[in-house]
Amino acid sequence: MKGIVLRLLQYRTLVVIMLLAWISAGVYAFLNLDIEAYPDPSPPLVEIITQNPSWSAEEMEQQVTVPLETTLNGMPHLEYVRSISIFGLSDVKLYFDFNSDYFRDRQEVLNRMQTVTLPMNLQPQLSPWSPIGEIYRYELTGPGYSLNELKSTQDWLVRRELKQVSGIIDITTFGGTTKQYQVEIDPRKLLQYSITLNQAVNAVSNSNANVGGNYLSLGAQNVNVRGIGLMRNVQDIGAVVVAEHNGVPLLLRDIAVVHEGFQPRLGQVGIDDRDDAVQGIVLLQREEQSLPALAWLREKIDLLNEHILPKGMRIKTLYDRTNLINVTTTTVRHVILTGLVLVTVLLLVMLGDVRLTFFTALTIPVSVLFAFGLMVLTGHSANLISIGAIDFGILVDSTIVVMESVHRQLSIRLEGESNEKVIVRGVAFASRPVLFATAIILVAFIPLFTMTGVPGKIFAPMSITYGFALTGALIYALLFAPVLASFEGMTRPGAETWLSAWFRRHYSRRLTWVLSHPKITMALGAIFLLVSAFTFQFVGGEFMPPLEEGNLWIRATLPPDISFESAVKLAGEIRGILGTFPEVIQTISQTGRPDDGTDPSTFNNIEVSVHLTPASGWPGGISKEQLIAQMQDKFNIYPGVSFNFSQNIQDNVEEAMSGVKGENSLKLYGDDFDLLTSKATEIEKLMNQVKGVEDTGVFKVNGQPSLLISIDRERAARYGLMAADLNAVVQAAIGGNAVTQIIEGDRRFDLIVRYQAPFRDNPEAIRNIILVTPDGGHIPLSAVADVALRSGSFMIYRENGKRYIPIKFSVRGRDLATTMTDLQSQLDQKIQLPQGYYYEWAGEFNSLKKEQRRLAIIIPLSLVIIAVLLFVQFHNWRDTLLVLGILPFCITGGIWSLLLWRTPFSISAAVGFTSLIGVATLGAVVFLAGVRRAQRESGMVPGLQEGSVDEMRPVLMACLAAMLGLVPAALSSGIGAQAQQPLARVVVGGMFTSINALLFLLPAICKLTDKQEH
């Protein structure tokens, strides 16, 4: 190391140029770095949607869901197959291993889908949806335009234009009405003119086509021959000839009402006081960068608004992910700059040299820019957690130790000794402890580097960024900082600062007492350690603190048999109630599902997006939890309606991870829906008795009323009718068949034929539908079929081939781990399940348990590697065990910090303890190395006192820098700060005990072990 540093000092101008190039490259990388608000924690997920408006939930399960599951099972890296079957929709989600390639998985699904043949030629479609893919929402407005016109423009113009934007995979349309040409036949006219419904349908179908007659040569000119028979409007449809009656053509308008209508609605969007709106949801392609895509998207929207859309129509922004990214980056920037200022002030008051302070603090931007460069080269993105959770005090620790060593050697150099020689000696003293301490910090991060699943997705970017930054900080500390220290003005250190002298004076006095009473010191430390370990059980636990988004996502679950009109009315009332809160800016409700089926739900599901004002301006300074409680009180006027509170991105991620719309859920598996429902209701009642459990609800699987038309085959046979004949008439007369399409330019709209409403809108009218027998007779439907209302399946949940019922719940006002332990105990004592029935947890608690089991294996392994590195550093097991033995005392402050701040232990807090162990190890290695060096020079007893006092300043500065670097994050309450708080609070609290453990307890242990060895 000496030779390298000496050579760098000889070419220091070139070294400075290299440093400037390093900084410039880092700035360029930062400008090209992909920045997201939050990482995507979901695994590779492929969703398959199949729609058939005429089938019940049972038929969708039997005819579509099960065949698809059977075909798709057994694919490489496939972990879970989850499905939902509801009326008219089958939704199958395939969850692959986190390490698999999404696009390869998607192609494998497409290949297998080609081998599936579904009834009625149904075509499954791959959904473009992803958990954090919704980056932009807008409303298409246009005073004077009908919903049909707005929806048509959205589907056939806006959607096509926006899909051209790079990075955008699709646009989901929600709300509005889908234009449809409707032919509503009067069955009495069919009897009057002796024609059948099938004749009318065939007449319409055969009257809408163009044909080609090849071409003619007229002289020197070539002329194409075309027969024009396409229908263009309502008049053309009404003029279709159905039959001839007494020599007079019978036109379609003679037996039917022909008009422009809309398809039966599957969902509706309301915004504030408006009940019906057309909303577009922009979906980002997986693994694409959101900020560039959003910038290009806004350019395209401006172009549409100014030049392309019909006059009066405009696209109005409802939600833009850019705002969340800007707010979170502002929070991170504030935390970083505040921490940087605090660390710089600390260095200045402890070192007393402006240039030395500046060059030491320069470690932070240089190491971070180094990390940005490597992130761009390796294709990693930056987010709130990966950048905001870095302790910049830790980054500067290596430079502090090196520069303090150089500073000390310069202050005691011999007369005539060259600057270069003194600097090289100072670096040599510090380099080995710094190298090994940094390596130990990186080893301490092994639990982060090896995280899998959801924690890996969240914290792996942070660990990678941390590793890059620590590497950059080490390179700067050993290669560039000594060169900067050699410039004029840095080689003449002044006297010790007053603060440093004050610390040295008081520390020396207290150290004398500690070395005189080592056993008492150790006993006090042991008592404190035992009390801290006992206290940890009261901290509680959760998987991850919620990542604040500045909004609310409220889900109202209604009775399964609620009508579309009633659900829409209730959605309006909910928006009205929410609008009375001064904290609410805008409310957007979604009832049902979009036409493309990308959100598998029905009319009983209302989702409300609530945009909130900044929390700093809320009246009375209420918290978000208090605001939710106030809203819940207002919603208590709706008995039988279950409300769940979440956030926009959080809700999508939770639903994607568990397959259930809710924060946490219990999945009760079994085959008999009646028994499942009974047991699920019993479990829900028990949940409501457990403190901290809120928003409980059993997802209904039964209770969907169905009008069953059951064909009596024997009675039908007497009239010569087959089941297929009856089904065809029922489907055409009641539901309506899309017999053809009307083409308007590049737009296409279905044309359906069915009975007029009075002849199909109630059970009695359906019983009286006239059937034509093969011999020309006429009989009512009731003569060959029974028509009756029955209750059937509403929504069928499946996972890996087994049916289940979800019971959703949230945890508020109490930590997740304690609540779940209490709930599990209650279930074990009071719930008895029959053979073949069992339950599993899904959501945050399931993730927490998996991660705890993994950490129980990986943390001991990391400690073994740290022990080996320490042995290589000290060349003896005594000092190795001394460093390892002091670490538990160092981390006790993190426990007390969580307890006093009432912060549950989480994965974020675990990351904080990892950082804390790394910093404490660095301090212990530096401190013990300095003590052993002093003992070799001055003797065992004098060297212990002398070495401890000499190493006090670098250890104190390193710990205080690590603490001050995260104080802003520990205290911040802005959007995006929640994920950092547990980590920061652990480090801040742990640094207090680390200082005391390293500066007092470690010398006391050394005194005792040195005496025994001597």
Side-chain angles (χ1 to χ4, degrees):
M1 194 69 209
K2 290 183 177 180
I4 296 174
V5 175
L6 185 61
R7 184 59 58 90
L8 291 174
L9 290 172
Q10 293 172 352
Y11 298 98
R12 62 183 189 176
T13 303
L14 181 59
V15 172
V16 172
I17 294 174
M18 292 172 59
L19 179 60
L20 294 175
W22 174 345
I23 294 173
S24 301
V27 171
Y28 176 80
F30 172 70
L31 296 176
N32 291 275
L33 183 65
D34 177 28
I35 300 176
E36 303 290 344
Y38 302 121
D40 180 2
S42 63
L45 185 155
V46 180
E47 183 179 14
I48 303 168
I49 294 172
T50 312
Q51 297 197 81
N52 181 357
S54 61
W55 278 356
S56 66
E58 295 101 322
E59 289 167 323
M60 292 302 299
E61 180 196 32
Q62 296 165 1
Q63 305 276 10
V64 178
T65 302
V66 172
L68 284 175
E69 289 179 351
T70 303
T71 302
L72 296 170
N73 266 318
M75 286 190 296
H77 305 289
L78 180 64
E79 290 196 336
Y80 298 102
V81 180
R82 294 174 178 149
S83 64
I84 299 175
S85 301
I86 57 179
F87 179 78
L89 175 68
S90 165
D91 180 84
V92 180
K93 287 188 175 74
L94 308 171
Y95 295 77
F96 292 86
D97 182 82
F98 277 91
N99 296 320
S100 69
D101 180 78
Y102 166 74
F103 294 101
R104 186 191 63 191
D105 297 334
R106 185 181 176 91
Q107 185 58 51
E108 178 68 18
V109 171
L110 285 170
N111 293 343
R112 294 214 177 192
M113 281 170 54
Q114 305 304 314
T115 66
V116 181
T117 301
L118 298 178
M120 298 177 61
N121 295 319
L122 293 178
Q123 294 296 319
Q125 304 291 327
L126 292 189
S127 170
W129 182 86
S130 63
I132 65 167
E134 297 179 5
I135 59 171
Y136 192 89
R137 289 176 180 246
Y138 63 87
E139 178 191 5
L140 182 62
T141 64
Y145 289 96
S146 68
L147 285 173
N148 267 2
E149 292 169 324
L150 290 171
K151 179 74 179 298
S152 298
T153 303
Q154 160 65 18
D155 288 340
W156 298 99
L157 175 61
V158 177
R159 184 167 174 265
R160 288 181 175 182
E161 291 289 331
L162 296 185
K163 283 182 68 175
Q164 298 173 20
V165 175
S166 178
I168 303 303
I169 186 173
D170 206 352
I171 316 295
T172 295
T173 302
F174 206 141
T177 54
T178 302
K179 182 178 175 180
Q180 186 181 67
Y181 288 93
Q182 298 178 345
V183 177
E184 298 190 329
I185 293 177
D186 185 342
R188 296 170 301 182
K189 296 289 183 69
L190 296 180
L191 290 175
Q192 178 182 345
Y193 295 111
S194 300
I195 60 175
T196 65
L197 178 62
N198 192 47
Q199 284 180 272
V201 170
N202 289 335
V204 174
S205 178
N206 295 332
S207 300
N208 188 38
N210 287 350
V211 295
N214 214 317
Y215 68 90
L216 294 176
S217 296
L218 301 180
Q221 189 177 30
N222 178 67
V223 178
N224 292 334
V225 178
R226 298 174 59 208
I228 306 300
L230 286 177
M231 296 181 288
R232 297 184 298 273
N233 49 47
V234 171
Q235 289 72 28
D236 287 350
I237 299 170
V240 169
V241 177
V242 178
E244 177 268 338
H245 186 71
N246 297 329
V248 178
L250 181 66
L251 304 182
L252 190 60
R253 60 173 173 259
D254 295 329
I255 61 171
V257 176
V258 182
H259 63 98
E260 178 187 312
F262 53 84
Q263 290 181 6
R265 302 188 67 172
L266 298 175
Q268 183 167 319
V269 171
I271 302 176
D272 294 331
D273 58 351
R274 291 176 288 120
D275 288 329
D276 225 334
V278 176
Q279 177 187 224
I281 304 171
V282 181
L283 303 176
L284 183 71
Q285 175 70 267
R286 192 179 179 96
E287 299 181 9
E288 288 289 337
Q289 300 182 12
S290 58
L291 282 180
L294 283 164
W296 296 326
L297 179 68
R298 288 191 293 270
E299 291 180 7
K300 174 65 78 171
I301 288 175
D302 290 340
L303 179 64
L304 285 166
N305 282 335
E306 293 172 10
H307 303 292
I308 300 178
L309 286 175
K311 186 177 180 180
M313 281 195 192
R314 291 194 65 80
I315 295 175
K316 176 185 175 183
T317 301
L318 297 176
Y319 168 79
D320 188 339
R321 178 76 62 79
T322 307
N323 298 330
L324 177 61
I325 295 175
N326 290 340
V327 170
T328 54
T329 51
T330 299
T331 301
V332 172
R333 184 165 57 247
H334 171 74
V335 168
I336 290 173
L337 292 178
T338 307
L340 179 60
V341 170
L342 291 175
V343 171
T344 304
V345 171
L346 169 70
L347 296 174
L348 184 60
V349 297
M350 290 294 289
L351 295 176
D353 189 303
V354 175
R355 294 191 183 186
L356 183 62
T357 298
F358 172 75
F359 291 139
T360 304
L362 190 62
T363 308
I364 297 174
V366 168
S367 59
V368 171
L369 290 174
F370 179 82
F372 288 160
L374 291 183
M375 289 169 71
V376 171
L377 289 176
T378 56
H380 290 91
S381 63
N383 57 65
L384 164 71
I385 298 176
S386 66
I387 300 299
I390 293 179
D391 184 352
F392 296 100
I394 296 177
L395 297 182
V396 82
D397 280 352
S398 298
T399 308
I400 285 176
V401 174
V402 172
M403 295 298 269
E404 202 281 337
S405 178
V406 171
H407 188 269
R408 187 192 314 161
Q409 293 302 317
L410 287 171
S411 63
I412 62 173
R413 65 179 173 177
L414 301 174
E415 185 68 28
E417 196 172 19
S418 66
N419 292 333
E420 289 78 8
K421 185 177 180 180
V422 175
I423 291 173
V424 168
R425 186 169 66 246
V427 174
F429 282 148
S431 60
R432 184 178 177 87
V434 165
L435 275 170
F436 275 91
T438 303
I440 288 169
I441 291 176
L442 291 175
V443 170
F445 272 56
I446 285 179
L448 302 186
F449 287 113
T450 57
M451 278 185 173
T452 59
V454 176
K457 285 285 188 174
I458 294 175
F459 288 106
M462 192 212 78
S463 59
I464 291 170
T465 306
Y466 229 139
F468 289 161
L470 282 171
T471 303
L474 179 64
I475 294 172
Y476 175 83
L478 296 179
L479 303 183
F480 291 96
V483 172
L484 297 176
S486 69
F487 283 90
E488 187 65 26
M490 286 291 300
T491 57
R492 299 191 300 274
E496 190 176 34
T497 66
W498 68 268
L499 183 62
S500 179
W502 185 87
F503 276 124
R504 180 183 294 273
R505 185 169 60 254
H506 285 77
Y507 173 64
S508 180
R509 186 164 59 248
R510 285 166 175 76
L511 180 63
T512 301
W513 185 91
V514 166
L515 294 180
S516 300
H517 306 83
K519 292 183 178 179
I520 296 177
T521 304
M522 285 190 63
L524 292 174
I527 293 171
F528 185 74
L529 178 63
L530 292 175
V531 172
S532 301
F534 175 77
T535 303
F536 185 68
Q537 64 180 313
F538 301 107
V539 171
E542 62 184 4
F543 175 60
M544 269 288 294
L547 304 176
E548 180 58 47
E549 301 173 33
N551 60 51
L552 281 173
W553 189 267
I554 303 174
R555 187 188 311 280
T557 304
L558 316 180
D561 59 348
I562 192 168
S563 67
F564 174 75
E565 293 76 15
S566 299
V568 168
K569 180 183 177 183
L570 183 57
E573 293 176 4
I574 292 173
R575 295 197 311 275
I577 291 174
L578 293 171
T580 62
F581 287 87
E583 298 85 358
V584 173
I585 300 174
Q586 183 183 62
T587 57
I588 305 170
S589 66
Q590 298 177 173
T591 305
R593 66 175 184 261
D595 290 346
D596 62 5
T598 48
D599 186 4
S601 59
T602 62
F603 306 145
N604 83 315
N605 184 69
I606 299 175
E607 298 174 358
V608 186
S609 173
V610 183
H611 296 190
L612 302 174
T613 60
S616 57
W618 288 0
I622 66 171
S623 66
K624 195 171 187 180
E625 289 73 20
Q626 292 171 322
L627 177 62
I628 291 174
Q630 292 177 10
M631 291 178 174
Q632 183 69 70
D633 288 341
K634 291 284 188 76
F635 292 149
N636 287 335
I637 62 174
Y638 300 111
V641 179
S642 172
F643 289 89
N644 185 78
F645 295 82
S646 185
Q647 300 177 104
N648 193 340
I649 299 175
Q650 180 185 354
D651 182 78
N652 284 336
V653 171
E654 288 168 349
E655 181 182 348
M657 298 308 301
S658 66
V660 178
K661 296 177 181 290
E663 184 176 334
N664 288 285
S665 63
L666 180 148
K667 296 179 178 179
L668 181 61
Y669 292 87
D671 296 320
D672 188 325
F673 272 157
D674 291 333
L675 182 55
L676 280 174
T677 302
S678 173
K679 287 297 180 181
T681 303
E682 188 178 340
I683 292 174
E684 182 193 17
K685 290 179 180 178
L686 187 146
M687 283 182 170
N688 288 325
Q689 301 171 11
V690 176
K691 181 183 176 183
V693 176
E694 304 285 348
D695 307 333
T696 60
V698 177
F699 282 75
K700 304 300 182 183
V701 294
N702 286 328
Q704 174 63 57
S706 298
L707 185 68
L708 301 184
I709 303 173
S710 305
I711 299 170
D712 188 318
R713 297 181 183 275
E714 292 186 359
R715 282 189 282 165
R718 297 193 197 107
Y719 294 100
L721 295 172
M722 294 185 293
D725 300 326
L726 273 65
N727 285 336
V729 172
V730 168
Q731 185 176 12
I734 302 172
N737 274 335
V739 297
T740 187
Q741 289 185 319
I742 303 300
I743 299 175
E744 298 178 3
D746 60 350
R747 305 181 184 186
R748 295 170 179 269
F749 304 100
D750 285 344
L751 187 156
I752 69 159
V753 178
R754 62 181 176 181
Y755 277 3
Q756 292 177 5
F759 303 99
R760 57 176 170 80
D761 62 357
N762 60 76
E764 188 59 34
I766 292 173
R767 291 188 185 96
N768 292 326
I769 289 176
I770 299 301
L771 304 175
V772 180
T773 61
D775 60 2
H778 298 83
I779 60 171
L781 179 62
S782 58
V784 292
D786 296 321
V787 180
L789 282 169
R790 295 286 187 275
S791 179
S793 295
F794 167 66
M795 186 174 289
I796 301 175
Y797 292 89
R798 295 170 60 89
E799 180 169 324
N800 291 338
K802 289 191 68 69
R803 287 180 170 185
Y804 70 92
I805 286 185
I807 306 156
K808 72 174 183 68
F809 63 96
S810 302
V811 175
R812 290 201 298 272
R814 193 182 183 191
D815 70 276
L816 178 67
T818 306
T819 304
M820 294 301 297
T821 302
D822 190 1
L823 181 55
Q824 181 71 67
S825 174
Q826 295 286 332
L827 289 174
D828 291 342
Q829 295 175 19
K830 300 179 180 180
I831 300 297
Q832 299 294 324
L833 297 177
Q835 183 69 27
Y837 289 73
Y838 62 95
Y839 64 83
E840 291 180 354
W841 299 105
E844 288 190 356
F845 182 68
N846 189 41
S847 300
L848 176 63
K849 299 300 289 183
K850 287 181 179 178
E851 192 56 28
Q852 286 176 339
R853 288 193 296 268
R854 191 193 66 84
L855 290 175
I857 298 173
I858 201 68
I859 288 179
L861 179 62
S862 301
L863 291 175
V864 170
I865 299 175
I866 289 175
V868 172
L869 288 174
L870 289 172
F871 179 79
V872 174
Q873 157 69 17
F874 293 112
H875 301 295
N876 66 79
W877 285 111
R878 181 189 59 173
D879 289 349
T880 298
L881 295 176
L882 277 176
V883 174
L884 289 176
I886 204 68
L887 294 181
F889 297 92
C890 295
I891 66 174
T892 53
I895 297 173
W896 286 101
S897 179
L898 292 177
L899 186 69
L900 294 176
W901 253 308
R902 296 183 179 180
T903 304
F905 180 82
S906 62
I907 301 301
S908 177
V911 174
F913 279 108
T914 300
S915 300
L916 178 55
I917 289 172
V919 179
T921 305
L922 182 146
V925 169
V926 171
F927 184 87
L928 198 54
V931 166
R932 296 309 186 205
R933 185 171 60 249
Q935 287 178 326
R936 287 193 298 269
E937 296 173 355
S938 305
M940 296 298 290
V941 177
L944 179 57
Q945 174 88 22
E946 178 185 327
S948 297
V949 173
D950 285 344
E951 298 303 327
M952 180 273 298
R953 186 167 71 168
V955 170
L956 183 63
M957 289 172 61
C959 291
L960 288 177
M963 181 184 72
L964 293 176
L966 283 178
V967 164
L971 300 176
S972 177
S973 59
I975 292 179
Q978 291 71 26
Q980 303 167 259
Q981 281 182 346
L983 181 155
R985 289 171 178 175
V986 165
V987 174
V988 170
M991 285 301 102
F992 281 107
T993 48
S994 294
I995 291 172
N996 288 280
L998 295 176
L999 296 184
F1000 296 105
L1001 190 58
L1002 186 55
I1005 299 175
C1006 287
K1007 178 71 177 292
L1008 292 175
T1009 56
D1010 290 347
K1011 184 184 297 184
Q1012 292 174 356
E1013 174 137 343
H1014 181 71

